[in-house]
Amino acid sequence: MLFNNFTMYALFLFFSLFFSRPEAVELEPIVFLEKMEHSGNYLLIDTRRVEKYCESRLPGAVWCGSRKMLRGKVKDADKHIDLFVYCSIGKTSKIATKQLIRMGFKNVYELKGGFPLWSELGFPMDAMPFHDGDICNDVLFTP
């Protein structure tokens, strides 16, 4: 017998530990809010379409509607900063969180249920109209 059970288990453990990628932690809205409130240093990222961001957003959110913009916003950030990401349905926030993890960020959190659930539950929002004159809408998040 070339491999015994112990050898197979050791190989499985090795590959699991060294080749698995961490994933963003998906948080319910109340936990997402509490974690932001208790974070000493964080960045809140909105990956929705620019029109949606301009209508309303979570307070303090920065719009990063493309991979290039996201890289630009975080390129000089400490890899241990808390990064909170949301979108409308979870598609673009998943893409963004994967990119952030590939870039080496350790604390990446995604809003479960996205902006619609946040809004529906009555959590804080910034609804001041925002004009997108200076916002660049290049190469949007796509799979």
Side-chain angles (χ1 to χ4, degrees):
M1 182 182 227
L2 186 57
F3 293 109
N4 61 26
N5 287 343
F6 177 76
T7 304
M8 293 300 289
Y9 177 74
L11 285 171
F12 171 76
L13 190 60
F14 172 78
F15 284 103
S16 297
L17 292 174
F18 294 102
F19 293 103
S20 65
R21 289 202 173 186
E23 292 188 12
V25 177
E26 191 176 46
L27 301 175
E28 295 288 339
I30 186 67
V31 180
F32 192 86
L33 177 62
E34 288 171 350
K35 193 147 190 74
M36 274 194 306
E37 288 175 342
H38 291 100
S39 177
N41 190 19
Y42 74 89
L43 179 61
L44 177 59
I45 300 168
D46 184 325
T47 63
R48 297 174 303 149
R49 293 186 347 203
V50 68
E51 301 83 30
K52 295 293 184 185
Y53 175 82
C54 290
E55 288 174 11
S56 60
R57 67 208 78 65
L58 275 63
V62 296
W63 183 71
C64 292
S66 71
R67 295 170 195 259
K68 181 179 177 182
M69 288 179 70
L70 182 61
R71 280 192 306 272
K73 292 281 184 194
V74 300
K75 69 179 178 181
D76 297 324
D78 175 1
K79 298 298 182 194
H80 290 90
I81 188 175
D82 291 336
L83 297 171
F84 295 91
V85 184
Y86 71 94
C87 69
S88 292
I89 60 171
K91 186 175 178 181
T92 59
S93 60
K94 287 234 182 299
I95 294 168
T97 58
K98 286 178 183 178
Q99 179 180 355
L100 292 165
I101 289 168
R102 279 194 306 272
M103 292 173 72
F105 289 94
K106 309 295 182 208
N107 306 313
V108 182
Y109 306 100
E110 183 179 6
L111 177 61
K112 186 173 185 174
F115 186 83
L117 181 58
W118 180 276
S119 174
E120 180 182 315
L121 293 173
F123 287 112
M125 294 188 342
D126 180 357
M128 288 290 293
F130 182 82
H131 302 288
D132 65 343
D134 296 328
I135 294 180
C136 154
N137 196 12
D138 62 341
V139 193
L140 296 178
F141 284 104
T142 53

